[in-house]
Amino acid sequence: MATIEQAPLDMEKLEAFVFRAVDEVGATLNTALVVMGDRLGLYRALAGAGPLTPSELAERTGTAERYVREWLNAQAAGGYVEYDPESGRYTLPPEQALALTDSESPAYLPGFFQIALGSVIDSPRIADAAQTGEGVGWHQHNHDVFEGCERFFRPGYNANLLDSWLPALDGVVEKLERGANVADVGCGHGSSTILMAKAYPNSTFTGSDYHAGSIETARQRAREAGAENATFEVAPAAGFGGTRYDFVTMFDCLHDMGDPAGAARHVREALAKDGTWMIVEPKAGDRVEENLNPVGRAYYGFSTLLCTPASLSQEVGLALGAQAGEARIRDVVTSGGFTRFRRAAETPFNLVFEARP
Ligand SMILES: C[S@@+](CC[C@H](N)C(=O)[O-])C[C@H]1O[C@@H](n2cnc3c(N)ncnc32)[C@H](O)[C@@H]1O
């Protein structure tokens, strides 16, 4: 019988790995603490307030001092707030204040933590599914996944969609200004739909998603925003209504679909001859080794807990994963009958593709 020789243990490497894990457990717990600080208004009360004691912060937020003191110490240990031992006061530095409280900033983070926490909360279900190979649908998740997704993606769309992504497409802005017929497929809570609808009042927008709960929220958001040229329907990507669209968009959802090639065929049928399909996908290289970095790590994590099970829960279950990369997206798109495909724009977090018949 062949014996497998064990590599000798490097005790220094072992110790370094254990201490790195300590840091990561702290970071994992901090996901819940950030959501707690966001929900209780702790960051908002600290922002711009100068140094505060735990009891001052508790008083300003209507919370219990003992909890707030412990939360502040965890935040200080993680570098989220600064602690002054002389005065016993805690300060939120301006950079952290911006990233944790300014929902208009592209650096806004609470949604990222909220969707991560929601994903972790549902992870026992994913572990069960991994034993059988069954899927877990997007609609089967908890509220933090839906709302966290909306709050996570919206700052990036606000920062890039109108100023960089749409202008990078051939002739689309001119059409939107004149008045175009647009379908935003897999729109979730509709943040991309509403952003475009407000910017282009001569155009009409139909957001669709297979998840009825998300569409209900999208309708409410559109009413609140006064986006009268945006309507919403519950429909799968392979069956959304309407024809001769000038422009079809998919934001961070093609890889979540069970049958993205079927969706591509339907987009091709629903699109006008000279129409454009814009596909926004998570930034990824084609090869695994290109994605072994912090952004890839977060996306592979979401992909394991959300995207891959979502696709497996649907017919075909292609399970592209959130790190599919350009080559696989191109294959899916061209299999749907599109003859032109190019990368039109990118950010550190997203790839933006233009597909034309
Ligand atoms: C990661 S979320 C992105 C939502 C939204 N586009 C955004 O950027 O905020 C993925 C969305 O795809 C939707 N989805 C998944 N499979 C779908 C399908 N086959 N047809 C339509 N929508 C689908 C989910 O319901 C979910 O709203």
Side-chain angles (χ1 to χ4, degrees):
M1 206 169 73
T3 53
I4 299 166
E5 257 186 49
Q6 295 283 343
L9 266 186
D10 179 330
M11 295 312 285
E12 266 180 40
K13 280 188 186 166
L14 176 62
E15 195 177 322
F17 181 63
V18 169
F19 276 98
R20 184 175 158 225
V22 172
D23 199 30
E24 299 209 344
V25 170
T28 306
L29 295 168
N30 195 49
T31 300
L33 298 182
V34 170
V35 172
M36 177 177 165
D38 176 50
R39 219 158 258 172
L40 298 177
L42 300 174
Y43 294 121
R44 290 187 290 282
L46 281 164
L52 293 182
T53 63
S55 59
E56 285 167 344
L57 181 58
E59 200 181 316
R60 290 178 187 204
T61 51
T63 50
E65 187 275 343
R66 188 64 193 90
Y67 278 92
V68 167
R69 187 167 14 124
E70 221 61 9
W71 179 86
L72 277 168
N73 287 336
Q75 296 299 290
Y80 279 54
V81 303
E82 283 164 3
Y83 175 60
D84 174 29
E86 300 239 319
S87 63
R89 289 171 180 274
Y90 301 79
T91 307
L92 188 66
E95 296 76 18
Q96 275 85 332
L98 181 96
L100 293 164
T101 69
D102 183 355
S103 61
E104 297 302 311
S105 164
Y108 186 61
L109 289 171
F112 207 178
F113 285 96
Q114 189 180 358
I115 187 173
L117 181 63
S119 306
V120 169
I121 286 170
D122 287 341
S123 64
R125 192 167 195 169
I126 303 301
D128 287 347
Q131 292 180 294
T132 62
E134 278 166 24
V136 178
W138 181 263
H139 62 283
Q140 291 175 282
H141 286 288
N142 68 81
H143 175 75
D144 280 329
V145 168
F146 310 138
E147 194 182 85
C149 176
E150 174 189 14
R151 296 176 75 209
F152 166 46
F153 283 129
R154 194 195 286 121
Y157 301 159
N158 284 345
N160 299 297
L161 177 55
L162 302 179
D163 292 343
S164 327
W165 296 348
L166 295 178
L169 305 174
D170 194 13
V172 166
V173 168
E174 293 76 4
K175 283 187 190 173
L176 289 168
E177 278 166 355
R178 274 201 307 272
N181 193 15
V182 183
D184 187 14
V185 178
C187 69
H189 285 187
S191 44
S192 51
T193 329
I194 294 165
L195 183 62
M196 293 189 288
K198 295 288 286 180
Y200 297 105
N202 294 334
S203 293
T204 52
F205 295 81
T206 309
S208 61
D209 198 290
Y210 91 113
H211 179 220
S214 288
I215 288 300
E216 203 180 305
T217 304
R219 287 187 178 128
Q220 189 188 325
R221 299 276 194 267
R223 270 196 302 277
E224 286 160 4
E228 282 162 19
N229 52 339
T231 54
F232 294 91
E233 65 161 345
V234 179
F240 62 90
T243 52
R244 281 190 269 163
Y245 284 104
D246 301 296
F247 188 38
V248 175
T249 56
M250 283 192 194
F251 291 85
D252 285 293
C253 60
L254 183 66
H255 65 272
D256 291 308
M257 295 173 190
D259 184 11
R265 281 194 298 279
H266 184 66
V267 173
R268 175 69 186 81
E269 285 160 14
L271 205 58
K273 273 197 206 92
D274 64 344
T276 301
W277 178 20
M278 179 175 77
I279 304 130
V280 177
E281 277 289 295
K283 175 85 169 261
D286 291 328
R287 301 169 66 85
V288 169
E289 56 270 34
E290 293 171 60
N291 304 322
L292 302 183
N293 53 58
V295 173
R297 185 186 191 198
Y299 281 147
Y300 277 128
F302 283 123
S303 189
T304 309
L305 297 173
L306 295 177
C307 316
T308 302
S311 177
L312 289 173
S313 76
Q314 299 180 18
E315 264 178 49
V316 181
L318 186 66
L320 283 171
Q323 293 287 269
E326 179 167 344
R328 293 205 73 199
I329 300 295
R330 176 192 295 270
D331 283 351
V332 162
V333 168
T334 52
S335 77
F338 287 84
T339 62
R340 290 169 285 175
F341 178 91
R342 70 179 176 100
R343 185 187 295 205
E346 65 184 273
T347 70
F349 301 104
N350 282 112
L351 297 174
V352 180
F353 303 111
E354 178 190 70
R356 313 232 22 213

